[in-house]
Amino acid sequence: MSAETMAVNLGPQHPSTHGVLRVMLELDGEIVVNAKPDIGFLHRGIEKLAEYRTYHQIIILTDRLDYLAAMSNNLAYVLTVEKLLEIEIPKRAQYIRIILAELQRIASHLFWLGTHAHDLGAMTPLFYTLRERETIMDIFDAVAGSRLTPGFMRIGGLAAEVDREILHRIDTFARYLPDRIDEYESLLTDNPIWKSRTQGVGILTIDECIELGVSGPLLRASGHGRDIRKTEPYSSYKDFDFNIPTGTRGDVYDRFLVRLAEMRESARIVQQAVQNLPDGPHIIRKAPGVLPDRDALDTDIYAMIRHFHLITEGVKPPIGEVYHCIESPRGELGFYLVSDGSSNPCRLRVRPPSFVNLQSLVKMVKGKILSDAIAAISTIDIVLAEVDR
Amino acid sequence: MDIDILRKQFGNGILDISYFRGECTVTVDKEIIVPVCRFLKETEGLAFDFLSDCCGVDRLSDRPRFWVVYHLYSTAYNHRLRLKAAVNDDNPVIDSVVSVWPTADWHERECFDMFGITFSNHPDMRRILMAHDFEGHPLRKDFPLEGR
């Protein structure tokens, strides 16, 4: 600090900080001389809580990490446990997981688009994007009985079958979504005010992104094609035909274009998955740690014993450690599990993409004007529940 | 990925190389963590340019007590490696790798916050998630889940 500069607190209670992010800005007039993000206001100790719960009970904790992409968190966690337990799950379950994860990506990007535009002064798109997001939330409600925190994935598959009527609704949605994205584009893409607020703002180069561990749409907007769905395919992603949109300049505008294009690709994946959905069970029952069918408990004593055992004591995986990551809407979402052979993990580490991507904020705003800092915060697409855990 | 060149380069500094579920874990002496990281990043054929994650693990009954675990990824070769270094309870200090991967900055601060492991040569070693006047390190196994 010097006598010429002024300290300004942005947040933690400020609508443009998307939750409880506090940024200590040092301003020289309107120029940001330095920025220091201050995080941790939403820390709930989820990694600590996980050490006191069984592997099944942790699934609902993962919902509460990134609450705008709870399905993705579910998926990353159960895949990690399945890797540790060496469970191969049925094709149908893999496809439904992809459908849900891609719908979640669309929902998350829609919410991001609405709030991002709102931060930059375009009020209207929020109402349109929330309309489509609401459709997805209704689908999740029908699938899992819960909108924001579905907790729908299970070790070995899914909690329930997704019926034909819901699949039809999903397919219809995926078919009309591209038209709706055209609508948003007609409001923003060629809008001169939108362009002047976003083009050339918050630039990150590929090298800067990789140095800072930045992943997801931010990295791809800079021109790097890394997407974990392609580079390290999980859950049958290699069965689908989709492109990885990339940008060229790595600015706020390119990230907007990349996320819009990603939604279109996700809609394509959803359509392919619904069309080619194989028959079969939605969960593999004969594997370690997988809960038996609820209906079997009434008639089968062994199922009853197994259920009792898994609920009271939990599954005991072999001693070892695994790391598994997926492409969440925000980037590389990884879980690192250390098992000591007991029914609670010795350590569950979440590799949160928001947390890592937020580090790039300082680089994006230094030397720029204050209004660009607002654009930079919202372009990262942070969810503070995931940053602070 | 030819991981044996690590043994050739660092000899007894490499304590263990193991495989589990298709993942390779290399355990190194904490004194050489920075040279090993620099070697892994800059050697042709390894090129681990992307630090996915860095975190601590508390193994209360083991000696040494803590691990610092690095998850590395190579964007050029699309391969991964887990690097581990053990840190003692009585002097939990390890060199910072911020000079190799700047992204380690916040990871190491979080590791300090949660486990009390200090990273020397870190540019800004202070708490990140807990309040600055918080006492104790919550992810240590001897820190109770609730009530103190």
Side-chain angles (χ1 to χ4, degrees):
Chain A
M1 288 297 290
S2 69
E4 284 79 42
T5 60
M6 182 170 63
V8 171
N9 248 325
L10 186 67
Q13 280 87 27
H14 189 277
S16 75
T17 56
H18 294 253
V20 283
L21 171 69
R22 172 172 172 240
V23 187
M24 287 173 282
L25 294 168
E26 191 187 338
L27 298 179
D28 178 10
E30 228 184 321
I31 306 291
V32 179
V33 180
N34 202 356
K36 276 191 179 166
D38 182 14
I39 59 173
F41 294 92
L42 204 58
H43 179 65
R44 294 145 296 163
I46 284 184
E47 291 176 8
K48 180 82 174 175
L49 287 169
E51 291 173 12
Y52 291 82
R53 273 156 182 69
T54 65
Y55 286 86
H56 268 115
Q57 290 172 322
I58 294 167
I59 295 171
I60 58 144
L61 287 180
T62 66
D63 281 339
R64 281 132 184 99
L65 287 168
D66 175 356
Y67 49 73
L68 289 181
M71 286 286 190
S72 306
N73 288 265
N74 279 184
L75 178 62
Y77 172 70
V78 294
L79 283 172
T80 312
V81 178
E82 283 159 10
K83 189 172 186 180
L84 181 63
L85 292 169
E86 289 191 300
I87 301 174
E88 182 71 31
I89 73 157
K91 207 76 174 167
R92 183 179 176 86
Q94 293 187 14
Y95 274 45
I96 295 176
R97 281 179 177 186
I98 286 184
I99 294 172
L100 296 173
E102 291 305 320
L103 284 176
Q104 187 74 80
R105 187 185 315 280
I106 295 168
S108 173
H109 282 0
L110 284 171
F111 200 82
W112 166 81
L113 177 60
T115 51
H116 179 54
H118 191 269
D119 284 347
L120 298 184
M123 199 79 130
T124 319
L126 181 66
F127 299 100
Y128 289 100
T129 57
L130 285 191
R131 177 187 63 190
E132 270 70 71
R133 178 173 176 270
E134 202 54 30
T135 313
I136 299 180
M137 292 293 113
D138 285 345
I139 290 170
F140 283 178
D141 196 10
V143 168
S146 174
R147 292 155 45 88
L148 210 60
T149 53
F152 187 61
M153 306 216 182
R154 292 287 180 275
I155 299 165
L158 302 160
E161 182 57 85
V162 176
D163 66 37
R164 202 180 290 266
E165 188 266 323
I166 298 171
L167 285 172
H168 180 71
R169 273 165 67 185
I170 293 171
D171 191 50
T172 314
F173 172 76
R175 277 174 203 285
Y176 74 65
L177 181 73
D179 295 338
R180 300 290 166 89
I181 297 173
D182 291 342
E183 264 180 37
Y184 317 145
E185 290 223 53
S186 72
L187 287 168
L188 296 171
T189 306
D190 293 321
N191 182 332
I193 303 170
W194 179 253
K195 280 181 164 174
S196 68
R197 283 301 303 273
T198 55
Q199 282 183 340
V201 174
I203 295 178
L204 287 178
T205 64
I206 294 179
D207 288 344
E208 285 168 345
C209 284
I210 290 177
E211 264 185 2
L212 288 167
V214 170
S215 54
L218 269 73
L219 176 62
R220 290 190 288 276
S222 299
H224 196 288
R226 178 177 180 232
D227 186 310
I228 299 169
R229 292 174 294 172
K230 287 278 190 199
T231 56
E232 297 157 275
Y234 49 90
S235 200
S236 291
Y237 265 109
K238 51 185 172 311
D239 295 359
F240 299 97
D241 172 32
F242 63 103
N243 301 318
I244 303 299
T246 53
T248 47
R249 288 158 302 210
D251 58 3
V252 175
Y253 186 72
D254 270 14
R255 289 173 202 138
F256 155 75
L257 293 180
V258 162
R259 287 196 175 100
L260 282 184
E262 262 179 27
M263 284 198 270
R264 295 181 195 274
E265 295 301 322
S266 293
R268 276 180 65 203
I269 298 174
V270 170
Q271 281 183 40
Q272 292 172 44
V274 172
Q275 263 168 23
N276 304 324
L277 188 64
D279 289 332
H282 63 276
I283 187 166
I284 178 166
R285 299 284 181 196
K286 288 199 165 108
V290 182
L291 293 168
D293 185 10
R294 176 65 190 82
D295 290 338
L297 299 190
D298 302 334
T299 53
D300 182 354
I301 184 68
Y302 292 105
M304 184 68 158
I305 293 168
R306 194 174 150 71
H307 186 266
F308 182 77
H309 177 77
L310 280 174
I311 293 297
T312 53
E313 198 180 15
V315 60
K316 291 182 175 173
I319 296 170
E321 49 190 323
V322 289
Y323 177 81
H324 193 279
C325 59
I326 69 159
E327 187 71 35
S328 95
R330 271 155 269 283
E332 175 177 341
L333 170 68
F335 280 85
Y336 170 52
L337 260 179
V338 181
S339 160
D340 54 3
S342 72
S343 50
N344 318 111
C346 169
R347 173 89 166 99
L348 176 77
R349 159 74 179 167
V350 188
R351 192 271 183 202
S354 295
F355 175 83
V356 185
N357 291 353
L358 184 57
Q359 274 196 87
S360 66
L361 178 68
V362 179
K363 189 150 253 170
M364 280 197 259
V365 302
K366 250 189 193 176
K368 305 291 185 321
I369 58 172
L370 178 59
S371 61
D372 288 353
I374 304 297
I377 292 170
S378 68
T379 191
I380 303 175
D381 189 15
I382 43 169
V383 172
L384 267 299
E386 184 183 66
V387 174
D388 298 343
R389 279 154 290 141
Chain B
M1 181 175 63
D2 178 22
I3 208 66
D4 288 332
I5 58 171
L6 267 182
R7 277 227 163 90
K8 278 180 210 140
Q9 183 75 18
F10 294 100
N12 294 335
I14 307 296
L15 305 176
D16 183 42
I17 298 179
S18 64
Y19 293 87
F20 182 72
R21 303 285 188 260
E23 296 176 359
C24 179
T25 306
V26 177
T27 311
V28 300
D29 186 349
K30 73 161 186 169
E31 298 303 327
I32 57 162
I33 188 72
V34 174
V36 168
C37 287
R38 200 170 290 285
F39 181 79
L40 285 167
K41 185 186 177 188
E42 289 168 2
T43 305
E44 184 63 27
L46 296 173
F48 287 103
D49 53 350
F50 191 91
L51 178 71
S52 266
D53 192 28
C54 163
C55 68
V57 178
D58 183 2
R59 311 279 299 183
L60 187 56
S61 52
D62 286 7
R63 289 290 167 271
R65 175 175 168 183
F66 299 107
W67 294 342
V68 179
V69 184
Y70 306 82
H71 284 96
L72 314 181
Y73 175 72
S74 162
T75 54
Y77 295 100
N78 192 27
H79 55 210
R80 287 188 177 272
L81 184 74
R82 180 180 303 121
L83 198 63
K84 268 192 338 198
V87 177
N88 255 325
D89 192 8
D90 47 350
N91 183 26
V93 179
I94 187 167
D95 285 333
S96 163
V97 297
V98 171
S99 58
V100 186
W101 298 288
T103 180
D105 185 345
W106 281 20
H107 290 303
E108 290 181 346
R109 278 178 65 190
E110 189 185 332
C111 188
F112 164 70
D113 196 356
M114 293 294 147
F115 293 94
I117 299 169
T118 310
F119 292 82
S120 46
N121 301 324
H122 187 284
D124 188 19
M125 193 81 266
R126 58 192 169 94
R127 287 185 184 273
I128 186 164
L129 292 177
M130 309 306 290
H132 68 276
D133 55 353
F134 187 82
E135 283 174 23
H137 300 284
L139 273 179
R140 286 188 171 196
K141 289 282 182 190
D142 49 11
F143 190 97
L145 182 63
E146 51 192 66
R148 267 206 296 162

